[in-house]
Amino acid sequence: GDNTTPATLTIDAGTKVIAPVGLNFLVVSRGSKIMANGSAAAPITFTYDDEANATATTTGRWGGIIINGNAPVNGCATGTALCELEGEGSTGKYGGNNAADSSGVLSYVVVKYPGQNITPTNELNGIAFQGVGRGTTVDYVQAHGSRDDAIEFFGGTVDMKHAVMSNADDDSLDWTFGWTG
């Protein structure tokens, strides 16, 4: 639940998370956390169920990862006390007033063949950080073969270190709504 029933999803190092082909995606709602803490020897991989048949041009076989946070975003009318926006693909609300908000950890995480074009202007990315705060750790991440952007920031204050973005159909790195990481 959006800021009402928080949960923590913990994914062990070396785990491979497999999604069926199609509009399937992982959403972390505001107030909840993902603890995906892999290692160089045992990264966490998110991919699709037919990865064995991927080619050099394969992209967008599943929806990707969306993390919604409570950090500030731009895009609301002047004077709005609490700016909240709705994520693309109806992936939930994001934004708030807590720049230090934590949505958990993505460390040594590889996201392969994500991204879906729902419509030409409503697209899911490889990894979408939507209003994610600087209390979140993002370090050693890769997004490969995304149909839209590999990684996109929608506002928020999260920092990112050691990122690889490869074979995206659109932007490798994109940001909007005032990201200040």
Side-chain angles (χ1 to χ4, degrees):
D2 180 46
N3 278 329
T4 58
T5 53
T8 299
L9 171 62
T10 301
I11 303 172
D12 295 330
T15 299
K16 190 174 204 178
V17 180
I18 301 172
V21 170
L23 191 56
N24 303 294
F25 48 88
L26 174 64
V27 175
V28 177
S29 298
R30 291 188 298 180
S32 293
K33 294 182 181 185
I34 182 169
M35 303 303 288
N37 199 2
S39 69
I44 296 168
T45 303
F46 292 83
T47 190
Y48 76 105
D49 58 3
D50 196 27
E51 180 186 358
N53 291 313
T55 68
T57 60
T58 299
T59 61
R61 305 304 295 154
W62 66 288
I65 298 174
I66 299 96
I67 302 176
N68 296 321
N70 287 297
V73 298
N74 294 340
C76 294
T78 303
T80 301
L82 179 65
C83 187
E84 299 176 307
L85 302 173
E86 176 67 35
E88 290 184 325
S90 299
T91 55
K93 287 189 177 187
Y94 64 93
N97 294 326
N98 184 358
D101 186 45
S102 175
S103 297
V105 174
L106 286 183
S107 182
Y108 289 99
V109 170
V110 179
V111 180
K112 298 167 99 176
Y113 312 109
Q116 293 280 303
N117 294 338
I118 299 165
T119 70
T121 59
N122 191 3
E123 304 154 327
L124 298 177
N125 303 286
I127 307 171
F129 295 98
Q130 301 183 151
V132 175
R134 70 174 163 264
T136 307
T137 299
V138 181
D139 195 10
Y140 294 102
V141 295
Q142 178 180 6
H144 175 75
S146 182
R147 173 138 318 140
D148 192 43
D149 303 328
I151 296 175
E152 185 164 0
F153 295 92
F154 295 85
T157 55
V158 65
D159 294 324
M160 178 175 68
K161 300 186 299 184
H162 305 106
V164 174
M165 293 150 276
S166 52
N167 200 35
D169 279 352
D170 196 12
D171 304 314
S172 290
L173 178 66
D174 199 358
W175 63 90
T176 188
F177 298 127
W179 173 53
T180 58

